[in-house]
Amino acid sequence: MTLEAYADTIVPGEKRHPDDHAIAGVSEGPGSVEAGAIELLETEATGITAGLDFLVPMLNGHAKAYAEEHGRDLDPSLPEFVALSYEDRVQLILKLTKNGHPEKDGWVSLALFCNMAFDSAPHLSTAQALADGHPGLRAMGITTPDADGLWRFPNYSYGRKLAEVHPDTTPSGSPA
Amino acid sequence: MTSDKTEVLIVGSGFGGAIAAYHLAAGGAKVTVLERGPWLETKDFDHDFLLGSSYTRAFDFVVGDGMSVLGGNCVGGGSVVYFAAMPRAPRFVFERHGSIGRRMWPAEISRDTLDPWYDRVAEAIPVTQQDWNDVTYSGGLWAAACHHSGRTANPTPVAIDNAKCTNCNWMMGGCRFDAKRSMLTNYLPAAISHGATIRPLHEVQKIERTHDGGYRVHYNIVDDVDYRVHSESGVIEAKIVILAAGAGATPVILQRSEEALGKMPHGVGRYFSGNGERLNTAILNEDKVREVLGLSREDGLAYEANQIGKGPTVACWDRLDEKLPEYSRYSMEQLYFPPGLGTILAQVPGGDAPTWFGKEKKEILKRWRSWLTIFLMTEDDNEGVFGPPPPTGNAFRVSQQMLGRGALKYDPTPNTLSGWAKADAEVKEIMEKDGLATIAPWTNDVVGAYTVHPLASCRIGDDAATSALHPNHELRDHPGIFVTDGSAVPGALTVNPAMTIAALAERAVPGIVKAAQNRGIDVKYGAPSPDGSISGRRGVTKLALSLAGD
């Protein structure tokens, strides 16, 4: 649930049900969690899977300290980071990923993969992900490939001169 | 541990390695190339972001401290993952002073003396101009925006066979349609036909000297799927070693070899340049594209074509003006950058923190088809320095493929920051004129600055204090070791560097052949282009004799 809350702060989505605490529900349409962030983070090829067991308690520890510092009362039935509001989650992630933070590498890696779950879905074959309606790829408007799984765009150019060429262009087409 | 011998050992198979391999093999030398990445063929180049597809197998993303480097990792190296833009560097670049207060290029190299070598490359690859019918929607939009704000814009010279190109925009993971002219389509097959051997998945660890003045090169064999796994190791002895592992790896190999080889020149692992690169993401107003620029597609859309294309097709060269002061000259080029490691660095234009993640960022992701990326290549200050090398390779590898943490430190100077700011401001002026778009540069806060064109970490020069290599590319105080990749380029080029890296590699070959002859290797200089053409060879005949000292 803690990792879902982190992923939902990077690319937020709609709550899956009224009691959904991990997803803050600040954005319309599915976000990183529904795009498969947890599945991607648990894909061993990412290289961060083994570190998740350490990152989760660390994140909740930082959330607890943040809450104490800022006078927030947290729901004791939830992991501390999940109990934070979206705005507070944002502020904490900004602090953890700031230059000079000793744990920056770990939190940035986590953010990179949470974002990638939405924008490129590297835990799935892209053509299949599109065919299955992957929410991130679909939200971005990525088109489907040809029947052989390859993309081709026969129309690609406005097909006319659109600017004057620099006067100091050499016969090879390079700058002088 | 296996042990072997060759005459010329080349580390890396990108532009620098492939060009040297061809000429030396064609000249009669026994050539072996060690390449740390896999050997992928046309059928292996996937249109797929899936981890383990060619998109993650063929390139490397190394996060440093203040700078991240994206480079090739396969047979063909950077040429397999590059965007095939091949402009020559403008004349003033060779006169730059950079951080050393005087001309940083060797006295004997200028645009005039390099042009015959550029010609050789243009014939061999080959490099051609594009016309406006080749220019993609994104390039056309950039050209129209430049024109609308009173600027010029050029279709860029490229190494693409436009008749084969499908404008799929997957070229970063290798070209499935053989349209992109990588080293896999010219120098490497020609080298192989002359007997050169290429060994993929061989990652060089260090070099040591043999008792007879040659070199012994230690390598690990990398697992084909999980690059974190090294199964075996071995050594190979050679009379000549050519390092062409890329500007992010060549200095690391030399640093690791220092204990065995003796002290490295001061310039090894210093003066790294990120080619002053910046990426800006414009979010276009489709209505304004139609109204202000008068653009529309066959299907009635104004633009919405971010996914369509073939890398950069149009550049504005108005600021490549030799009369402008150093650090204020730059090119502005349209570029497609795929989702994945790049999208996260795009910021919400004009937004409050956070701008690289969060709910506002998601809103601009929904408008991804209306993105236009502008790539800025400025004059930086060669401020990158490599820290102690990791135990293997050039980074602590994090992911099975692609992602690693390196020891490069990059702290931009006020000169570099000023150049970045000027270029950012100009592209903002162009793209936001009359409400065409809103635009913001990629953030440097997440993984540092970002370069796809690492340069200058073992640079050539006349001065031992500020260069690692003699002007003939031989490592100072270590005769018989040459460097021919981007690390030899002295500084930022303000344009895409592949053409210059390749021209310098061509120029280095006659001297390497001479050094090989002096070490008893039966080799001659003078091969034609890989396809047998000879006009490029004719153009450099006198220069080659001079470089060989004849």
Side-chain angles (χ1 to χ4, degrees), chain A:
Chain A
M1 199 190 291
T2 302
L3 289 173
E4 284 189 342
Y6 193 95
D8 184 65
T9 315
I10 301 302
V11 186
E14 284 179 3
K15 283 183 182 293
R16 293 161 290 190
H17 48 81
D19 296 327
D20 195 342
H21 294 290
I23 291 181
V26 298
S27 175
E28 286 181 21
S32 175
V33 173
E34 290 201 55
I38 304 307
E39 194 181 341
L40 176 59
L41 292 172
E42 290 177 350
T43 300
E44 208 275 332
T46 61
I48 65 167
T49 309
L52 298 177
D53 289 346
F54 302 96
L55 287 174
V56 168
M58 285 164 71
L59 185 57
N60 284 317
H62 286 304
K64 186 178 177 192
Y66 178 94
E68 285 168 1
E69 188 184 340
H70 293 86
R72 306 285 194 268
D73 289 325
L74 301 182
D75 181 342
S77 69
L78 297 172
E80 287 85 348
F81 186 76
V82 177
L84 290 177
S85 68
Y86 169 76
E87 287 74 17
D88 284 339
R89 293 176 188 178
V90 164
Q91 292 307 314
L92 180 53
I93 291 178
L94 282 172
K95 183 179 166 188
L96 297 176
T97 55
K98 196 177 168 61
N99 282 330
H101 192 284
E103 300 160 13
K104 178 184 172 178
D105 275 7
W107 304 115
V108 164
S109 291
L110 200 56
L112 284 174
F113 285 109
C114 290
N115 186 74
M116 287 166 75
F118 186 84
D119 84 349
S120 51
H123 53 302
L124 302 168
S125 175
T126 306
Q128 190 60 48
L130 282 163
D132 295 344
H134 180 271
L137 302 181
R138 193 171 54 184
M140 290 167 66
I142 295 178
T143 61
T144 52
D146 292 343
D148 61 358
L150 302 175
W151 275 262
R152 296 171 184 83
F153 294 102
N155 295 329
Y156 61 89
S157 177
Y158 294 112
R160 59 188 168 97
K161 180 179 174 181
L162 289 161
E164 295 302 321
V165 169
H166 195 281
D168 294 330
T169 304
T170 67
S172 70
S174 285

Side-chain angles (χ1 to χ4, degrees), chain B residues 207-239:
Chain B
I207 306 165
E208 61 188 11
R209 202 167 275 115
T210 57
H211 68 277
D212 59 355
Y215 293 97
R216 185 180 299 111
V217 176
H218 294 248
Y219 59 81
N220 290 339
I221 295 181
V222 179
D223 184 81
D224 188 30
V225 174
D226 190 341
Y227 300 165
R228 296 169 296 194
V229 176
H230 295 180
S231 55
E232 297 171 46
S233 59
V235 297
I236 183 165
E237 291 184 4
K239 294 176 179 174

Side-chain angles (χ1 to χ4, degrees), chain B residues 76-94:
Chain B
S79 78
V80 174
V81 300
Y82 82 142
F83 283 117
M86 293 291 266
R88 303 179 188 207
R91 183 168 300 273
F92 70 80
V93 158
F94 302 94

